Amino acid sequence: MRPSSSASRDDQFRLYVTQRRGGLLRVATLLSAGNAHRAEDLVQNVLLRMYVSWPRIRSDTRDAYARKMLVNADLDERRRRHARVEVAYAEVPDDVMVEDAEPTDTEAAVFRALAELPPRMRAAVVLRHVADVSVAETADALGCSEGTVKSQTARGLAQLRTALNGNATVERGHRHD
Amino acid sequence: MIDIERLLDQTARSAEATPSPEVVEADVRRARSALLQRRRRRAVWTSVASTIAVAAVIGAAVVIGADRNADTPTAQPNATQPQGQAPGDDGVDLVTYNGEQPPGFIVNLVPEGWYIQKPDHGAYSLAIARDGDTSSPDAFVGKLVVGLLSSDASVPTHGEPVDINGREGVISPSDGGVTTLTFPYTDGRYVQIQAWSMADLGWSNDQLVRFAEGITVTASAKAGVG
């Protein structure tokens, strides 16, 4: 018997989540400057939106699509943050997945430095130097020109370098690596 | 001197761990639930659109009846205006666009056999027309039109909600054969696409969404007024 289309969608989606969720979560963690709960929210949001649009997303563009949605979700959430109203739930939501893994001192310093970058600059740095995405794909994800990606990335790295140079913990950890 | 790229590469590696089966199944469960909600909203919207269409047909019939009673020869009105929902998967295919890009926008996909007309007035809007259509780029009938939402227009809220690269857009009810998709862009501005018409293209809303997802707005794009 042929599998139904929804079973096929579920199977493909399940495989995608198994293979790619970790990478997306890492990118989201850096976009969120180390806020693991926010990163988890972003990834969950992106994955469910991908599932809804699954038939329209070509298999060879899924990763690019996911990264674009992740960056959009990050920027949108920051834009909305000031207007956010806390919602009270009658019950504790299920599926709480985040286990707080304490960052090392070096990671904490990197997160603090990332938090000081403007969101789009941080996204450019993370996509280029963490997710290893090309300049062209980063430009597509951010909706800007390739020249803007290059300049934002260069300025972002320079700001991070300035913030972390002179940080004794980072320099000590770095020497030991 | 710190090697910042190496530092970044070593940060948050623990997040990359393969998710447990429970985490994966929770994602599948949430995703199924979101799809179900979307289908329910769509069903409600289709029902509302059908009611409006039926009301329009009844209204037309009443007018025709009144005209006949008056014994006045009258042209038969169009039976129905094309609705946002089009015939299905047999419409014009979307293909990668490799030609010169217009000012203000980058277009990745166009309907097969269509081309981007060079705008007369800079980066306000662009028209995509069938090959052989040499009408002015300012004439929009029969074309796909992409632009920023006018600075003095309000964002439409009534219509079918759709997902454009992770942002919620809305496809407004067809008005005079024109289907309009409005969605927020990464920089907070709103993009508006008009399809004249979906029926001519043989497109469903999903194809309009795919077209929209291929649009990039550049810094030089300008919103019109009025």
Side-chain angles (χ1 to χ4, degrees), chain A residues 137-159:
Chain A
E137 275 190 62
T138 303
D140 182 52
L142 286 168
C144 64
S145 69
E146 293 185 21
T148 303
V149 169
K150 288 176 188 167
S151 64
Q152 291 273 297
T153 307
R155 286 168 53 201
L157 289 178
Q159 285 191 35

Side-chain angles (χ1 to χ4, degrees), chain B residues 72-129:
Chain B
T72 308
T74 307
Q76 187 76 15
N78 292 334
T80 52
Q81 294 292 346
Q83 295 298 305
Q85 212 55 25
D89 297 333
D90 297 324
V92 182
D93 284 340
L94 280 164
V95 294
T96 303
Y97 178 73
N98 295 315
E100 188 183 345
Q101 292 289 354
F105 302 88
I106 298 168
V107 180
N108 285 335
L109 298 170
V110 293
E112 190 168 18
W114 290 47
Y115 75 106
I116 298 177
Q117 294 189 306
K118 192 169 180 187
D120 283 345
H121 304 295
Y124 287 98
S125 63
L126 64 98
I128 303 173

Side-chain angles (χ1 to χ4, degrees), chain A residues 10 14 21 49 72 79, chain B residues 25 27 32 163 165 186:
Chain A
D10 282 3
R14 192 174 280 112
R21 191 184 210 282
R49 282 170 178 267
N72 284 347
R79 224 174 261 133
Chain B
E25 286 312 310
D27 280 327
R32 278 199 198 125
D163 188 288
N165 292 326
T186 50

Side-chain angles (χ1 to χ4, degrees), chain A residues 106-119:
Chain A
T106 302
E107 283 180 317
V110 173
F111 290 146
R112 278 195 300 275
L114 279 169
E116 295 301 315
L117 299 185

Side-chain angles (χ1 to χ4, degrees), chain A residues 109-110 112-117 156-168 170-171, chain B residues 2 4 7:
Chain A
V110 173
R112 278 195 300 275
L114 279 169
E116 295 301 315
L117 299 185
L157 289 178
Q159 285 191 35
L160 289 176
R161 208 170 280 121
T162 303
L164 293 168
N165 265 329
N167 182 310
V170 172
E171 290 184 339
Chain B
I2 284 173
I4 193 69
L7 253 186

Side-chain angles (χ1 to χ4, degrees), chain B residues 11-91:
Chain B
T11 302
R13 280 283 179 194
S14 62
E16 270 186 326
T18 302
S20 68
E22 290 76 22
V23 169
V24 175
E25 286 312 310
D27 280 327
V28 175
R29 204 163 50 243
R30 269 189 300 270
R32 278 199 198 125
S33 169
L35 182 62
L36 195 64
Q37 278 182 17
R38 182 179 188 242
R39 285 180 174 157
R40 282 185 186 140
R41 279 195 299 176
R42 241 188 175 165
V44 169
W45 165 241
T46 304
S47 165
V48 169
S50 302
T51 305
I52 292 168
V54 167
V57 169
I58 291 171
V62 169
V63 170
I64 293 164
D67 285 345
R68 282 188 181 151
N69 288 342
D71 205 21
T72 308
T74 307
Q76 187 76 15
N78 292 334
T80 52
Q81 294 292 346
Q83 295 298 305
Q85 212 55 25
D89 297 333
D90 297 324

